[in-house]
Amino acid sequence: MPDLKYVVVGGGIAGVTCAETLSLFAENATITLLSASPLIKTVTNLIQITPNIESFDVEEQPYKHVKEGHCKVQVIHTTVNSLCAQEKRLHLSDGKTLDYDQLCICTGGKPKLIAVDNPYVLGIRDTESVKEFQKKLKTAQRIVIVGNGGIATELVYELEGCEVIWAIKDKSISHTFVDAGAAEFFMAHLNKAKDNSPEGLSKRLKYTTNECEVMMSDKKPVMGSALGPDWAAQLDIRGAQQMSHRVHVEHEVEVERVLSPDDLTLLGLKACSVDQGQDFTNWPVYVQLTNSKIYGCDIIVSATGVEPFTEVFLPGNNIDLAPDGGMKVNSKMETSEPHVYAAGDVCTACWDPSPYWQQMRLWSQARQMGCYAAKCMVAATKGENITLDFCFELFAHVTTFFNFKVILLGKFNAQNLSNDYEVLLRVTKGQEYVKAILHNNRLVGAILIGETDLEETFENLILNGLDLTAFKDNLLEPGIDVDDFFD
């Protein structure tokens, strides 16, 4: 019997994890990983904090290095031009074709830019775009950051040496992840000097990259794989000024238009400074916000989310898309095309989820999906059934904002609960923020900021569905060991 051919497209966390997992479980198989970027993401220093919470480092390595630890995996630096699912064949950018028995698409997403083809508007998504940003930042006096998710939040904190205008569409910062109360907790640290001591530095993400060839498609660089956890830590992202932090937030706004200096003159408009006086500096680009304020700057960072990168796989195939543009996948990570799977940012989970799980396009879920997709592919070739992985029982994510550990569990922002829930809150200024969300007297979600040591207990309480009526008044009381209630 000839070897089975597994092909994985994408050198990010989902794709590399899928290929590495295939190499562990697939027998009598050839495994090919296609990477548009010369650098692939590898997961190292994996720590199981709780059964559902994982902390890990992400290292970028030349794509050839993956073969050293996984000899079954062949990595090819190329891009896909098209997919012929009926023939189970990929057409590559170098004119070659590649046949498969099982295919997993892990091409991630691409930034949703507020202005396309504007040299002053940058989308930060992968290492190549970060290097371009670093290059332009060296001479920057002021930048405008548009967006309120993880990349924007990390960038605002890590940036030094330039003035920052942070334009967000919400009432509070970091709204994608935390509520207004947690945002207020972070606001006190927005303009504080960073802790650059060895103890204060993040130890989770270490990127070491070399100048190397970037694949081109239609004379445009192909987007590489997504940035991992704490991507900005220890990167040299300093502007031209001798200052630490100076961040000004514009709430509940969007970008109405991007203007050149000539546009500003032609329209008879005037830019304002941070103190709302007239800005007399000549800037290379200007942003007009929906509150009518106009700010000049050197760079505009568009961090307004991503769109699933699906285009090259759709023509001529029957791959169903979800309303958010992702490839629909069922509980076995299968798309609507036989033998074609998808994992990570490119896909949308379309199974009936656990009450405490929701999809967010995060590096932690990319790893989980990539691993589970590989197991599903192997099970399918063996004719075996496979149950949905335990990691999809509870949403759990750990990250770092403003140098605080942040853990999100379950319905951490009371997703889909309307107003039918109760909140327990404990805040110690400058140290911790603990929010527990109860529904019908049962814990359904939590936000834990700082060293709370509550993550495992709260995880168990959510999954066990224990009625907390008799305990909730003391649940967050300082100095009480929550575990004592359940001995």
Side-chain angles (χ1 to χ4, degrees):
M1 178 178 176
D3 287 350
L4 290 168
K5 297 176 182 176
Y6 294 99
V7 176
V8 182
V9 184
I13 294 172
V16 173
T17 300
C18 183
E20 291 179 344
T21 305
L22 283 169
S23 73
L24 297 175
F25 292 98
E27 302 169 359
N28 302 319
T30 61
I31 303 160
T32 304
L33 175 65
L34 306 182
S35 175
S37 170
L39 298 167
I40 56 96
K41 301 285 195 300
T42 60
V43 171
T44 62
N45 301 327
L46 180 65
I47 299 172
Q48 202 73 39
I49 300 174
T50 72
N52 279 278
I53 303 174
E54 295 177 339
S55 173
F56 55 83
D57 295 346
V58 173
E59 290 185 359
E60 288 202 318
Q61 297 179 343
Y63 65 92
K64 295 178 183 178
H65 286 191
V66 74
K67 193 174 180 63
E68 295 176 3
H70 301 272
C71 58
K72 290 183 183 178
V73 181
Q74 177 190 14
V75 186
I76 302 175
H77 182 201
T78 187
T79 58
V80 174
N81 278 352
S82 64
L83 164 67
C84 182
Q86 189 172 2
E87 298 178 5
K88 297 203 287 190
R89 180 171 296 158
L90 292 167
H91 295 267
L92 308 180
S93 57
D94 58 5
K96 296 179 181 178
T97 60
L98 182 63
D99 294 339
Y100 63 85
D101 293 303
Q102 302 276 26
L103 170 68
C104 191
I105 299 170
C106 305
T107 46
K110 60 181 181 179
K112 292 187 286 189
L113 294 180
I114 58 175
V116 181
D117 296 328
N118 187 314
Y120 298 104
V121 178
L122 301 179
I124 293 183
R125 167 66 182 173
D126 57 5
T127 306
E128 286 74 29
S129 58
V130 169
K131 289 195 291 187
E132 179 66 19
F133 172 66
Q134 286 179 285
K135 189 186 303 181
K136 293 190 175 185
L137 182 63
K138 288 179 180 178
T139 57
Q141 302 283 330
R142 181 197 287 171
I143 75 168
V144 172
I145 297 176
V146 184
N148 204 16
I151 284 182
T153 300
E154 292 183 55
L155 187 57
V156 165
Y157 176 71
E158 295 295 344
L159 262 172
E160 294 186 283
C162 71
E163 189 177 53
V164 177
I165 310 294
W166 190 6
I168 63 175
K169 65 180 181 179
D170 308 295
K171 293 181 179 180
S172 57
I173 65 171
S174 312
H175 182 74
T176 303
F177 291 92
V178 299
D179 65 349
E184 190 64 28
F185 177 87
F186 287 140
M187 281 293 288
H189 303 271
L190 191 63
N191 281 296
K192 280 188 176 179
K194 284 169 53 184
D195 182 0
N196 289 320
S197 65
E199 294 79 14
L201 295 172
S202 168
K203 299 178 178 61
R204 294 176 56 210
L205 177 67
K206 304 294 177 283
Y207 283 146
T208 53
T209 63
N210 298 316
E211 295 294 330
C212 43
E213 180 187 1
V214 177
M215 297 297 294
M216 304 292 285
S217 176
D218 298 326
K219 298 182 180 180
K220 293 182 180 180
V222 172
M223 293 304 298
S225 49
L227 297 164
D230 305 329
W231 64 274
Q234 292 194 343
L235 286 181
D236 180 16
I237 46 177
R238 174 177 285 276
Q241 297 194 56
Q242 295 300 314
M243 62 161 56
S244 179
H245 281 299
R246 190 185 176 193
V247 181
H248 172 75
V249 184
E250 288 287 346
H251 297 86
E252 298 184 85
V253 297
E254 295 185 57
V255 174
E256 188 168 298
R257 54 183 169 177
V258 176
L259 303 168
S260 68
D262 290 342
D263 293 333
L264 204 70
T265 302
L266 186 64
L267 296 170
L269 300 173
K270 294 181 179 179
C272 60
S273 62
V274 172
D275 59 13
Q276 302 312 311
Q278 185 175 343
D279 190 347
F280 295 100
T281 306
N282 292 318
W283 298 98
V285 66
Y286 294 84
V287 171
Q288 185 174 19
L289 304 176
T290 49
N291 62 2
S292 299
K293 293 180 182 178
I294 298 173
Y295 289 105
C297 59
D298 295 294
I299 307 169
I300 302 167
V301 175
S302 181
T304 51
V306 299
E307 298 172 322
F309 185 68
T310 62
E311 290 88 331
V312 299
F313 303 98
L314 302 181
N317 301 305
N318 296 311
I319 296 178
D320 294 337
L321 298 183
D324 65 3
M327 295 180 180
K328 287 185 176 181
V329 292
N330 62 18
S331 60
K332 293 180 172 58
M333 305 307 293
E334 297 168 317
T335 69
S336 50
E337 277 286 5
H339 311 290
V340 178
Y341 299 71
D345 288 3
V346 76
C347 77
T348 300
C350 290
W351 62 79
D352 187 19
S354 156
Y356 311 117
W357 186 86
Q358 62 270 338
Q359 183 180 7
M360 293 182 70
R361 288 179 163 85
L362 303 167
W363 43 266
S364 53
Q365 288 190 348
R367 187 187 114 74
Q368 292 166 346
M369 285 184 168
C371 181
Y372 177 58
K375 294 176 182 178
C376 291
M377 294 165 75
V378 173
T381 56
K382 293 181 177 180
E384 298 174 352
N385 192 27
I386 187 170
T387 57
L388 190 64
D389 197 280
F390 181 72
C391 67
F392 300 110
E393 285 296 308
L394 173 70
F395 176 87
H397 183 65
V398 57
T399 188
T400 303
F401 289 152
F402 301 96
N403 209 33
F404 286 92
K405 181 170 74 173
V406 178
I407 292 179
L408 309 175
L409 294 172
K411 295 180 180 294
F412 61 92
N413 267 334
Q415 291 91 336
N416 303 317
L417 293 180
S418 299
N419 293 320
D420 185 22
Y421 64 91
E422 182 180 358
V423 171
L424 304 180
L425 195 62
R426 184 177 88 201
V427 182
T428 306
K429 188 176 180 180
Q431 294 183 35
E432 64 173 14
Y433 178 93
V434 179
K435 179 179 181 179
I437 299 169
L438 279 69
H439 179 65
N440 294 330
N441 292 313
R442 288 167 170 81
L443 188 66
V444 296
I447 297 175
L448 308 175
I449 300 174
E451 299 298 332
T452 68
D453 293 325
L454 291 171
E455 50 266 27
E456 188 164 7
T457 299
F458 276 25
E459 179 180 300
N460 290 332
L461 289 176
I462 294 173
L463 290 172
N464 293 338
L466 187 67
D467 189 332
L468 297 174
T469 303
F471 312 111
K472 64 182 182 182
D473 291 340
N474 304 106
L475 191 64
L476 300 187
E477 190 172 327
I480 290 181
D481 189 345
V482 178
D483 290 332
D484 290 344
F485 287 118
F486 313 108
D487 288 342

